[in-house]
Amino acid sequence: MTTADRVIVPLDVASEAEAIALVQTLPAVTFWKVGLELFVSSGPGILSYLKDQGKRIFLDLKFHDIPNTLAGACRTAAGYGVDLITVHAPAGKTALQMAQQAAVAAATAAGLSSPNLIAVTLLTSLDARSLAFELKVSLELSDYALQMALLAQESGLAGVVCSPHEAALLRRTCGDDFLLVCPGVRPEWATQGDQRRVMTPAQAIVAGASYLVIGRPITAAPDPEAAFNRICQELAAS
Ligand SMILES: O=c1ccn([C@@H]2O[C@H](COP(=O)(O)O)[C@@H](O)[C@H]2O)c(=O)[nH]1
């Protein structure tokens, strides 16, 4: 896997036409993320387009529901032949286990590779203050993220979405095979926006991230291709 293959770029746009234009602007990107805005506006058509282009797909719809509903959503999502699917860890162990089983069964029945289910530990737009005072969680942020990661691992999931800030702790505790997919990644030259727990791409990789999710520093740059290349060069040089 090259450095570029470890960078997942989100298609956070409002239409399939804009998404396709972005994919064509960035031919070197091999791994794309389809999230809520695009999927709600345009449905699964973009997934077929990306597969036809030979791209890997992270379907980031962050499912969070009761076990039966979560399993149903993951069963359907697995049928699209995507590589990564997100659920929220606080859905709980029964829901995570049923989701994992449903995804594997659906992929197997369709003759597809099983997708990796990964659980969001704590959104990277939240900080210790929001965890304590808005969500009323009394654990330290790093401990909360760790507990959510362990819940995901015990439930049979392949990994988690976490901030680079927690990546080293989760890597040490959950082992080398556990996927750590990290948004909240900002090169020195990019603005933080609504992200709170950020690190640079190189710092995130050193901390143990398997994949980096980097959106606006690339997609909102005046020259997205130059921004993507600059990130890959900075990673290669680190
Ligand atoms: O905790 C999370 C989970 C998912 N995301 C998603 O990642 C990208 C980040 O985009 P940027 O433009 O680089 O901020 C975005 O699609 C989020 O939905 C996250 O940021 N944090």
Side-chain angles (χ1 to χ4, degrees), residues 5-222:
D5 294 333
R6 296 178 73 171
V7 178
I8 303 175
V9 181
L11 287 165
D12 285 336
V13 292
S15 71
E16 190 171 322
E18 288 171 272
I20 290 172
L22 194 49
V23 173
Q24 290 173 348
T25 302
L26 290 163
V29 174
T30 59
F31 211 153
W32 288 96
K33 183 171 92 69
V34 174
L36 288 167
E37 182 181 8
L38 179 57
F39 201 84
V40 170
S41 77
S42 309
I46 187 66
L47 305 177
S48 308
Y49 173 79
L50 290 169
K51 283 187 77 69
D52 287 347
Q53 299 298 309
K55 306 295 184 184
R56 287 183 297 163
I57 304 171
F58 173 9
L59 185 60
D60 181 25
L61 301 180
K62 300 185 187 69
F63 299 129
H64 190 179
D65 216 310
I66 61 170
N68 185 59
T69 309
L70 196 77
C74 290
R75 183 178 302 118
T76 304
Y80 292 132
V82 298
D83 299 278
L84 294 175
I85 296 171
T86 39
V87 296
H88 274 287
K93 193 167 191 174
T94 303
L96 297 178
Q97 286 175 330
M98 282 179 59
Q100 172 69 26
Q101 286 158 11
V104 171
T108 306
L112 299 164
S113 304
S114 292
N116 284 315
L117 250 61
I118 55 174
V120 178
T121 51
L122 181 70
L123 291 169
T124 54
S125 53
L126 299 173
D127 57 16
R129 196 178 164 74
S130 17
L131 184 70
F133 295 109
E134 296 170 21
L135 305 191
K136 313 289 184 195
V137 172
S138 54
L139 292 178
E140 290 290 320
L141 190 153
S142 57
D143 193 26
Y144 178 77
L146 176 60
Q147 295 311 320
M148 293 301 105
L150 290 171
L151 174 64
Q153 191 169 44
E154 286 160 15
S155 305
L157 270 61
V160 290
V161 176
C162 65
S163 143
H165 282 250
E166 293 91 53
L169 173 66
L170 270 52
R171 177 60 68 221
R172 270 199 312 279
T173 314
C174 300
D176 287 342
D177 295 335
F178 199 58
L179 287 177
L180 301 180
V181 178
C182 293
V185 177
R186 289 289 182 266
E188 301 280 7
W189 41 267
T191 55
Q192 191 167 327
D194 54 358
Q195 298 287 0
R196 287 294 165 267
R197 307 189 327 276
V198 300
M199 280 187 182
T200 67
Q203 288 168 338
I205 292 290
V206 168
S210 315
Y211 292 99
L212 311 176
V213 179
I214 310 179
R216 289 162 288 182
I218 298 169
T219 57

